[in-house]
Amino acid sequence: MQPPPDTAPKPHPVAGLTGRFTVPGNRSVSHLALILGALAAGTTTITGLLEAPDVLRTVAAMRALGATVEKAADGSWRVAGRGIGGLVEPHDVLDMGDAAGAAPLLCGLLAGHPMLAVVTGDAALRQQPMRPVMDALAATGARFASRTGGRLPLVVEGVAEPLPLDTVLPAAFAELKTACLLAGLCARGTTRVREPAGSPDDAEHLLRHFGATLRVSPDGPGRLVELDGQPELVAATVAVPGDAFAAAVLVVAALLVPGSAITLRHVGLNPHYAGLFQALREMGAEIIAEDPRQPCGMPVADLHVRASALRGIDLAAGHAADAAPLLAAAAACARGTTRLRGLDDASAIAAMLAAAGIRHEVEGLDLLVHGGGVPPEGGGLVETRMDHRLALSALVLGLAARRPLRIDDSACIEAAFPGFTRLIETSAGRA
């Protein structure tokens, strides 16, 4: 049975978005800051933590493993760590809910500790194959037992003296790379992880920030990451960067709605996340990065954005693959044709464009969006398929349309971008 159409208020500004905003924190950095804080000696302070349900599952898991994790009155989070190898066996199952990105990290953490733990999650996470994680971490000496196909619930039996890993990842898989590095923290010797192509390197930056010795070098078309085991991690202060995709949602909204002028503070600009901003600049967007800095080694800046007349361009495959729905929303309002190359499945994005009355074509793995340089008609219903990127992109496109778009389910939006609808409503002029 199809869920009923979403009935949440549909923001539809007429006088533009204005103001200064801090977007939700980066999800992977939030998870990892909590985990490394639990492994460090002393008390780590984390600001800008993404307080989404999946991150709060990691908070609960670190508490279950013996770390003290509390939210302070000023909104920051404090983690009193137990040091490398100091975590304790949990008394109950570690339920990670829908934290698909954190589950592999937790397995890497558990593999290096002499304890027995059971990891599970919600219905969706229990369908996610964990076999690649189990296979890679088994070389430490840890043992795993799972449901058929390597699915959760997963029993992890860690070891007191894990072996260092020397592994080649089958694909650019940042969570698996990080899981291997976390297991390597407890091992004597050097853990080596080879990846066939570069993946987000937040883990490398944060590990160094907490005191680990880590080297990164080219390895053919990919990279070799080497970590010296059993470091003395020291508590640190972590300012979690604003999530690049969440920032991009507001950037595109401001670009498309006439009269908009916004500033986004402390936005993470890791090159692996920020390709969308470069693509938008190529389309003619006015996006100015100011005060570039590198807290914890991770690049951030403040972004100043004004409504801009966009033009269609040809975007190479992989230029900003994760942000394809948002690029399509921008292209729908640009003048001329935009070609988004190398999309695995363009059907959901094409349906969003159809709901907005935008001409488009699918040619193999490419999506052609024929923008008219004027507000689209809008007014249709978009099936989100529980994809927060598609849902947010549809709402942004609806902001620029003559009639807002409706979405069938908004549940995924609050988890990805807490307070999005409220933020839009309070920052926009309304009829």
Side-chain angles (χ1 to χ4, degrees):
M1 179 181 297
Q2 291 290 328
D6 178 54
T7 57
K10 307 302 182 298
H12 195 219
V14 295
L17 306 172
T18 59
R20 297 173 60 87
F21 308 102
T22 300
V23 298
N26 178 274
R27 177 170 268 101
S28 64
V29 174
S30 295
H31 287 300
L32 194 53
L34 290 165
I35 292 171
L36 292 178
L39 291 173
T43 299
T44 289
T45 299
I46 306 171
T47 60
L49 187 82
L50 175 64
E51 296 183 18
D54 61 326
V55 176
L56 297 180
R57 293 283 186 170
T58 297
V59 169
M62 294 307 101
R63 287 172 175 160
L65 294 170
T68 300
V69 187
E70 302 293 344
K71 185 175 181 179
D74 62 1
S76 65
W77 287 78
R78 311 289 167 80
V79 184
R82 299 184 62 90
I84 293 291
L87 300 180
V88 300
E89 187 170 86
H91 296 297
D92 205 345
V93 171
L94 300 174
D95 187 345
M96 298 306 292
D98 65 349
L105 276 57
L106 184 61
C107 291
L109 179 67
L110 295 170
H113 288 79
M115 65 175 71
L116 185 74
V118 179
V119 181
T120 190
D122 67 6
L125 186 53
R126 291 197 301 272
Q127 292 305 310
Q128 177 176 302
M130 295 289 286
R131 179 61 61 187
V133 178
M134 296 162 58
D135 290 346
L137 295 175
T140 64
R143 296 195 297 177
F144 300 87
S146 71
R147 292 169 54 221
T148 303
R151 291 177 169 82
L152 302 180
L154 177 65
V155 179
V156 184
E157 186 177 354
V159 289
E161 296 186 9
L163 299 173
L165 295 172
D166 191 340
T167 187
V168 179
L169 301 186
F173 184 176
E175 291 83 5
L176 178 53
K177 173 184 67 177
T178 304
C180 292
L181 295 175
L182 289 173
L185 286 172
C186 296
R188 292 183 183 274
T190 300
T191 288
R192 295 177 175 87
V193 182
R194 293 173 172 84
E195 51 182 356
S199 66
D201 56 359
D202 299 319
E204 291 92 317
H205 290 305
L206 279 178
L207 282 162
R208 290 192 184 105
H209 184 62
F210 277 86
T213 299
L214 183 143
R215 297 169 296 281
V216 179
S217 58
D219 186 54
R223 302 189 313 160
L224 167 64
V225 183
E226 298 178 288
L227 172 73
D228 292 347
Q230 298 188 345
E232 290 193 16
L233 297 187
V234 179
T237 297
V238 179
V240 178
D243 183 73
F245 182 81
V249 170
L250 293 180
V251 166
V252 173
L255 291 173
L256 300 186
V257 177
S260 296
I262 65 172
T263 297
L264 304 178
R265 296 183 290 257
H266 199 68
V267 177
L269 296 180
N270 186 306
H272 292 281
Y273 299 128
L276 173 60
F277 300 124
Q278 181 56 35
L280 292 170
R281 289 188 180 103
E282 292 174 17
M283 297 177 75
E286 183 179 334
I287 306 171
I288 300 172
E290 290 189 351
D291 190 20
R293 50 205 185 271
Q294 292 190 323
C296 313
M298 297 176 289
V300 302
D302 300 331
L303 299 182
H304 302 282
V305 187
R306 288 186 178 276
S308 305
L310 304 180
R311 58 181 178 273
I313 61 173
D314 192 323
L315 279 171
H319 190 66
D322 288 344
L326 202 50
L327 281 169
C333 300
R335 182 174 296 279
T337 297
T338 295
R339 180 183 288 267
L340 304 178
R341 296 183 178 272
L343 304 183
D344 291 334
D345 182 4
S347 62
I349 304 175
M352 176 187 75
L353 296 171
I358 300 297
R359 289 196 307 118
H360 61 280
E361 304 165 47
V362 177
E363 293 184 355
L365 297 179
D366 296 355
L367 175 65
L368 279 71
V369 184
H370 303 295
V374 296
E377 180 60 31
L381 174 66
V382 177
E383 294 185 11
T384 64
R385 307 183 187 183
M386 289 305 296
D387 183 338
H388 70 273
R389 293 179 175 86
L390 184 67
L392 284 163
S393 300
L395 290 185
V396 166
L397 181 55
L399 294 176
R402 285 188 283 271
R403 293 186 295 155
L405 291 174
R406 295 170 293 135
I407 59 175
D408 64 344
D409 195 335
S410 62
C412 58
I413 290 180
E414 188 62 23
F417 194 147
F420 170 75
T421 300
R422 184 175 64 256
L423 184 152
I424 291 293
E425 290 178 336
T426 58
S427 65
R430 298 174 64 80

